[in-house]
Amino acid sequence: MRPGSGKRPGAARPALAKPAQVRPDDPDEALAPFHVSRETRARLEILVAELRRWQSAKNLVGPGTLDEIWHRHVADSLQLLDCAPPEATRWLDLGSGAGFPGLVLAIALAERPGAQVDLVEANSRKCAFLRHVARLTGAPVRVHAARIEDVIGDFVGRTDIVTARALAPLDKLVGWCGELLKTGTIGLFPKGERVASELTALAQYPSLHVDDIPSRSDSRGTILRVARR
């Protein structure tokens, strides 16, 4: 025993903290709340398989989320369908990235007559991935390789729902989507646990109403449903 250590020989060591338990990324569990058809599930499996295949070369999503794609990305995207009116068929997804939520929504809407999802993404390699998976799955998408501010005006009066996930603070999203929202488009914006600080920005938009919907895929998250009063 070292002088002054205060420990007796053979004294029990402090118990090590148990590592946090990681939820298994089970597609059955992730998809269960959404009752998707076999055809939709098969298309989603293509998306997930292609994302894993492209990830090493293209870095499409955060590497730390690869082990929870079904819960972290797919289920998180699918839940937006339940936040929209059932008759909504024209969707616009801003900053689509690897397809969450826009491409997932398009796959889920593929069996709905007249469905169309426009994906806006400025990154060329991500656009290539979106087009590739859309071809494999037959998802009703159009990919726009452009900056949001350059094309957003083209969708005024032509969009039922606009979405954006992990893209920008709420005030910037509303700034981009202001004309869409004025003409009746509904905004669905997934947010994290610090959403309260972003909501203060809507004070300058008294014509807009916000519903705060708890996320079904993340107990700390929320979905902001923004619409004209």
Side-chain angles (χ1 to χ4, degrees), residues 111-193:
E111 298 166 15
R112 186 176 298 183
Q116 178 69 54
V117 181
D118 287 279
L119 309 179
V120 178
E121 173 56 52
N123 185 296
S124 60
R125 72 178 185 276
K126 292 178 180 178
C127 286
F129 175 77
L130 295 171
R131 292 189 178 107
H132 170 71
V133 176
R135 284 194 299 268
L136 294 179
T137 60
V141 304
R142 290 182 298 206
V143 179
H144 305 266
R147 291 166 56 86
I148 293 168
E149 52 267 43
D150 293 337
V151 298
I152 192 78
D154 298 338
F155 298 99
V156 175
R158 298 171 46 206
T159 301
D160 300 318
I161 307 290
V162 60
T163 61
R165 178 178 182 254
L167 177 64
L170 185 60
D171 58 344
K172 192 165 187 177
L173 292 175
V174 172
W176 280 328
C177 303
E179 291 303 313
L180 297 176
L181 298 171
K182 285 179 184 177
T183 56
T185 299
I186 296 171
L188 296 177
F189 306 127
K191 290 289 181 179
E193 58 187 329

Side-chain angles (χ1 to χ4, degrees), residues 2-229:
R2 297 191 306 272
S5 69
K7 295 181 180 179
R8 300 187 307 276
R13 296 181 180 179
L16 296 176
K18 293 183 179 179
Q21 191 170 18
V22 178
R23 173 175 54 180
D25 197 36
D26 181 356
D28 290 335
E29 179 185 308
L31 296 178
F34 307 106
H35 308 292
V36 301
S37 68
R38 286 185 300 172
E39 293 78 10
T40 294
R41 173 168 176 153
R43 294 185 184 105
L44 291 171
E45 288 173 345
I46 291 172
L47 166 59
V48 170
E50 290 302 302
L51 177 59
R52 292 185 185 280
R53 190 168 71 85
W54 281 53
Q55 174 67 15
S56 60
K58 302 297 184 181
N59 194 30
L60 298 172
V61 297
T65 69
L66 277 179
D67 291 334
E68 44 185 346
I69 291 175
W70 285 100
H71 287 92
R72 179 81 171 266
H73 295 304
V74 176
D76 193 58
S77 300
L78 284 173
Q79 67 178 323
L80 297 186
L81 287 172
D82 293 334
C83 301
E87 66 274 13
T89 56
R90 302 173 300 171
W91 292 64
L92 171 64
D93 185 45
L94 305 179
S96 297
F100 308 110
L103 187 52
V104 171
L105 294 169
I107 288 172
L109 290 166
E111 298 166 15
R112 186 176 298 183
Q116 178 69 54
V117 181
D118 287 279
L119 309 179
V120 178
E121 173 56 52
N123 185 296
S124 60
R125 72 178 185 276
K126 292 178 180 178
C127 286
F129 175 77
L130 295 171
R131 292 189 178 107
H132 170 71
V133 176
R135 284 194 299 268
L136 294 179
T137 60
V141 304
R142 290 182 298 206
V143 179
H144 305 266
R147 291 166 56 86
I148 293 168
E149 52 267 43
D150 293 337
V151 298
I152 192 78
D154 298 338
F155 298 99
V156 175
R158 298 171 46 206
T159 301
D160 300 318
I161 307 290
V162 60
T163 61
R165 178 178 182 254
L167 177 64
L170 185 60
D171 58 344
K172 192 165 187 177
L173 292 175
V174 172
W176 280 328
C177 303
E179 291 303 313
L180 297 176
L181 298 171
K182 285 179 184 177
T183 56
T185 299
I186 296 171
L188 296 177
F189 306 127
K191 290 289 181 179
E193 58 187 329
R194 298 180 181 177
V195 67
S197 61
E198 295 189 35
L199 286 171
T200 58
L202 285 192
Q204 60 183 306
Y205 299 100
S207 63
L208 297 179
H209 173 76
V210 181
D211 290 316
D212 188 343
I213 304 169
S215 172
R216 295 163 66 179
S217 62
D218 182 354
S219 60
R220 300 167 300 173
T222 189
I223 299 165
L224 297 183
R225 185 179 187 274
V226 184
R228 184 180 59 188
R229 289 185 185 276

